[in-house]
């Protein structure tokens, strides 16, 4: 396609179609194919979304264009080509390639849904993983897989599944059926403990032409959403991890925190002065309220808020939650309802104790009890606590279900990007303006 687009552009612009443009078109097309292969365009494409297909096309084309530009300057031959033609060709080719990818994706998924070009697959082992895989294939026909066979040594499982699929039996029958053209791919879903059985089956299947794929039992250790990495050819599973575990990611987020907090404080300092005056005039005592909270790596820090309660009100009794029943001043009730009492936490961000976006910090006196009752609660402290977070923009503020909040917090921790932070910040501002 790139060479065809280049031919069209040169003709439109009135430039002769010469050998150097023919060579450019062929070389660019070849480099683009190599880039596509490098970015995985030709692998696992059945389960890929339109967005992922477009991103791969974009990255591959940009890399190939930059490569040609660099080579042109090194060889000092770039003057032989029209910059306008190269620019127009680069943009037009990217658009057409993207359109082609999208149309191809739509056609193939339509074909899969109607039963065309589907791959026949068999499942060996109908435990939790096997059942999950069967449901996944059956509920997503657009993936292009059709389950035609199930195999298991468990008699009860076999009786249930035999009624649904044409090919069935025990694991020995599987090896026999693999020699026939009954299915194209086989998914081994046996538990890790059945190592000897897996090895035996693999040895027998090595004498067939069936594509064999092993699906580890990710449910056993809650690894379904874990991330896989490659360390010199050795696969590593990040069971509990976050993108912010790297120094470069933490530096990037720190720069974001400083820039955003300074910008916001430059805009809101008059409001903070008015709130400080309101706190001082509404009740005797200090303007700020300090409280020990637990942040990154379980370390304690002193969080700042505008005081909304009378002084020493918590000396008698401290309890978790029930914020609506806590004694507040009249002005304190207003700033708490509008979350304006949280504004001094931007000083915590500047100091480095907190981040703009992250899980909300909890008081140190409640951490031990909550961590015993809520699974994976302590993993919230793998990152800095935040003024707002993924849980908060989904309505989980104050006295809400802790399990749900932890679920959203862990999603943020596992999937952090700068774009996700920006999305959360904008969502928070939108919700505040809508509330006002």
């Amino acid at each position: 396609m790139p060479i065809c687009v280049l031919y069209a552009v040169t003709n439109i612009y009135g430039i002769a179609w010469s050998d150097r443009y023919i060579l450019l078109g062929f070389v660019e097309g070849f480099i683009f194919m190599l880039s596509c292969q490098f970015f995985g365009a030709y692998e696992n494409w059945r389960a890929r979304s339109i967005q992922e297909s477009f991103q791969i096309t974009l990255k591959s084309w940009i890399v190939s264009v930059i490569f040609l530009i660099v080579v042109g300057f090194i060889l000092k031959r770039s003057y032989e080509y029209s910059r306008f033609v190269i620019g127009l060709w680069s943009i037009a080719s990217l658009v057409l390639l993207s359109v082609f990818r999208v149309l191809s994706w739509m056609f193939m998924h339509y074909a899969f849904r109607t039963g065309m070009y589907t791959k026949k697959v068999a499942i060996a082992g109908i435990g939790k993983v096997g059942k999950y895989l069967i449901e996944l294939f059956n509920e997503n026909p657009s993936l292009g897989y059709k389950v035609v066979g199930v195999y298991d040594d468990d008699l009860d499982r076999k009786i249930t599944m035999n009624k649904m699929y044409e090919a069935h039996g025990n694991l020995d029958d599987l090896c026999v059926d693999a020699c026939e053209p009954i299915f194209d791919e086989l998914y081994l879903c046996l538990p890790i403990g059945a190592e000897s059985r897996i090895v035996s089956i693999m040895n027998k299947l090595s004498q067939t032409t069936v594509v064999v794929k092993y699906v580890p039992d990710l449910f056993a250790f809650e690894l379904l959403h874990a991330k896989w990495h490659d360390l010199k050819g050795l696969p590593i599973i990040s069971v509990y991890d976050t993108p912010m575990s790297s120094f470069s990611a933490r530096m990037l987020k720190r720069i974001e925190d400083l820039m955003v907090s300074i910008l916001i404080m430059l805009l809101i300092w008059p409001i903070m002065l008015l709130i400080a005056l309101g706190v001082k005039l509404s009740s005797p005592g200090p303007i700020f309220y300090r409280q020990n909270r637990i942040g990154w790596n379980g370390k304690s820090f002193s969080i700042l808020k505008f005081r909304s309660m009378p002084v020493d009100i918590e000396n008698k009794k401290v309890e978790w939650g029930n914020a609506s029943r806590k004694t507040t001043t009249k002005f304190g009730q207003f700033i708490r309802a509008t979350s304006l009492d949280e504004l001094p936490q931007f000083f915590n961000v500047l100091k480095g104790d907190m981040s703009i976006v992250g899980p909300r910090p909890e008081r140190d006196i409640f951490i031990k009890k909550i961590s015993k009752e809520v699974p994976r609660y302590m993993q919230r402290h793998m990152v800095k606590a935040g003024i707002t977070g993924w849980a908060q923009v989904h309505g989980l503020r104050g006295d809400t279900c802790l399990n749900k909040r932890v679920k959203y917090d862990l999603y943020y921790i596992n999937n952090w990007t700068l774009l996700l932070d920006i999305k959360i910040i904008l969502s928070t501002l939108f919700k505040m303006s809508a509330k006002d």
Side-chain angles (χ1 to χ4, degrees):
M1 182 181 289
I3 192 170
C4 296
V5 177
L6 182 59
Y7 175 77
V9 171
T10 53
N11 276 271
I12 291 172
Y13 198 58
I15 293 180
W17 181 243
S18 60
D19 294 343
R20 63 177 181 272
Y21 281 103
I22 296 174
L23 179 62
L24 176 66
F26 274 113
V27 171
E28 174 69 0
F30 180 71
I31 299 300
F32 176 68
M33 286 192 295
L34 290 179
S35 299
C36 285
Q37 186 174 31
F38 176 78
F39 288 113
Y42 311 121
E43 301 172 2
N44 303 320
W45 53 270
R46 287 173 178 261
R48 188 177 297 139
S49 65
I50 289 183
Q51 292 85 352
E52 290 172 324
S53 296
F54 172 74
Q55 288 173 1
I56 290 175
T57 302
L58 178 63
K59 289 187 289 188
S60 301
W61 184 251
I62 289 175
V63 167
S64 56
V65 169
I66 291 175
F67 175 82
L68 281 185
I69 292 173
V70 171
V71 170
F73 275 106
I74 292 174
L75 299 178
K76 298 181 179 180
R77 303 297 294 271
S78 58
Y79 69 90
E80 296 180 359
Y81 300 93
S82 167
R83 293 181 180 180
F84 178 82
V85 168
I86 299 301
L88 182 58
W89 170 57
S90 300
I91 296 171
S93 294
L94 176 60
V95 171
L96 291 175
L97 286 167
S98 300
V99 170
F100 174 76
R101 290 281 186 187
V102 170
L103 292 177
S104 299
W105 185 94
M106 294 173 66
F107 169 77
M108 290 306 298
H109 281 72
Y110 170 78
F112 292 153
R113 285 194 298 271
T114 56
M116 298 168 59
Y117 310 120
T118 56
K119 277 191 175 183
K120 296 179 180 180
V121 300
I123 310 295
I126 319 170
K128 197 169 185 179
V129 177
K131 289 178 180 178
Y132 179 86
L133 198 57
I134 291 171
E135 291 177 3
L136 182 68
F137 287 150
N138 290 340
E139 293 174 3
N140 297 275
S142 61
L143 293 176
Y145 295 99
K146 181 182 179 182
V147 181
V148 296
V150 291
Y151 300 87
D152 200 292
D153 284 335
D154 188 295
L155 181 61
D156 294 332
R157 290 174 181 169
K158 283 195 297 181
I159 292 173
T160 304
M161 305 303 274
N162 285 356
K163 302 174 182 178
M164 302 171 59
Y165 301 100
E166 57 186 86
H168 49 76
N170 57 34
L171 297 179
D172 291 324
D173 297 326
L174 160 68
C175 298
V176 175
D177 290 346
C179 297
E180 304 293 333
I182 297 176
F183 45 82
D184 305 309
E185 291 187 1
L186 170 67
Y187 287 81
L188 278 176
C189 302
L190 300 177
I192 298 174
E195 181 182 352
S196 59
R197 191 66 166 135
I198 294 171
V199 172
S200 174
I201 294 172
M202 293 287 287
N203 289 334
K204 293 178 181 179
L205 292 174
S206 66
Q207 303 301 318
T208 71
T209 58
V210 172
V211 174
V212 180
K213 298 181 179 180
Y214 177 68
V215 185
D217 188 359
L218 302 180
F219 293 99
F221 306 103
E222 297 184 359
L223 302 179
L224 187 60
H225 302 292
K227 295 182 179 180
W228 295 66
H229 305 279
D230 181 88
L231 183 62
K232 294 291 184 179
L234 179 67
I236 305 293
I237 304 175
S238 290
V239 183
Y240 302 135
D241 200 356
T242 171
M244 283 179 279
S245 61
S246 72
F247 175 77
S248 57
R250 291 198 300 272
M251 284 298 297
L252 190 63
K253 187 164 176 63
R254 181 60 181 153
I255 292 170
E256 172 205 349
D257 286 337
L258 290 173
M259 292 177 63
V260 175
S261 56
I262 290 172
L263 175 62
I264 290 177
M265 292 194 74
L266 287 174
L267 295 173
I268 67 171
W269 69 266
I271 298 174
M272 293 184 69
L273 284 178
L274 290 174
I275 295 173
L277 183 62
V279 171
K280 198 66 180 175
L281 295 176
S282 62
S283 67
I287 294 172
F288 295 113
Y289 171 70
R290 289 176 170 83
Q291 195 178 72
N292 284 335
R293 298 286 177 108
I294 300 299
W296 182 39
N297 280 340
K299 295 177 182 177
S300 177
F301 71 95
S302 181
I303 196 172
L304 276 179
K305 290 186 177 185
F306 281 122
R307 184 173 57 82
S308 60
M309 299 182 292
V311 177
D312 299 331
I313 193 66
E314 289 191 323
N315 285 350
K316 298 178 182 179
K317 183 181 180 182
V318 178
E319 59 178 344
W320 185 86
N322 298 320
S324 60
R325 295 201 294 269
K326 289 181 179 178
T327 304
T328 59
T329 64
K330 289 185 177 180
F331 185 73
Q333 187 176 3
F334 164 71
I335 61 175
R336 177 172 285 190
T338 54
S339 298
L340 292 173
D341 62 325
E342 311 280 359
L343 294 183
Q345 289 167 36
F346 285 105
F347 290 113
N348 287 114
V349 175
L350 290 175
K351 186 180 177 182
D353 291 330
M354 293 180 66
S355 180
I356 299 291
V357 180
R360 288 295 295 159
E362 188 52 77
R363 295 186 67 171
D364 53 352
I365 58 176
F366 299 127
I367 288 292
K368 190 174 182 179
K369 180 176 183 295
I370 295 174
S371 62
K372 290 181 179 179
E373 297 175 353
V374 182
R376 300 182 65 183
Y377 182 82
M378 288 303 294
Q379 289 177 16
R380 298 168 74 253
H381 304 116
M382 294 173 72
V383 299
K384 288 182 181 179
I387 297 176
T388 186
W390 189 238
Q392 283 65 48
V393 297
H394 284 86
L396 298 170
R397 301 183 68 91
D399 300 337
T400 51
C401 178
L402 268 177
N403 285 288
K404 287 184 178 179
R405 280 162 57 183
V406 169
K407 179 182 177 182
Y408 280 98
D409 288 338
L410 293 180
Y411 173 86
Y412 170 78
I413 291 169
N414 294 331
N415 298 276
W416 173 81
T417 62
L418 281 180
L419 287 178
L420 182 58
D421 273 3
I422 293 170
K423 180 180 179 179
I424 293 171
I425 292 170
L426 293 177
S427 296
T428 302
L429 293 174
F430 176 78
K431 287 180 180 292
M432 289 179 64
S433 61
K435 191 175 181 180
D436 293 341

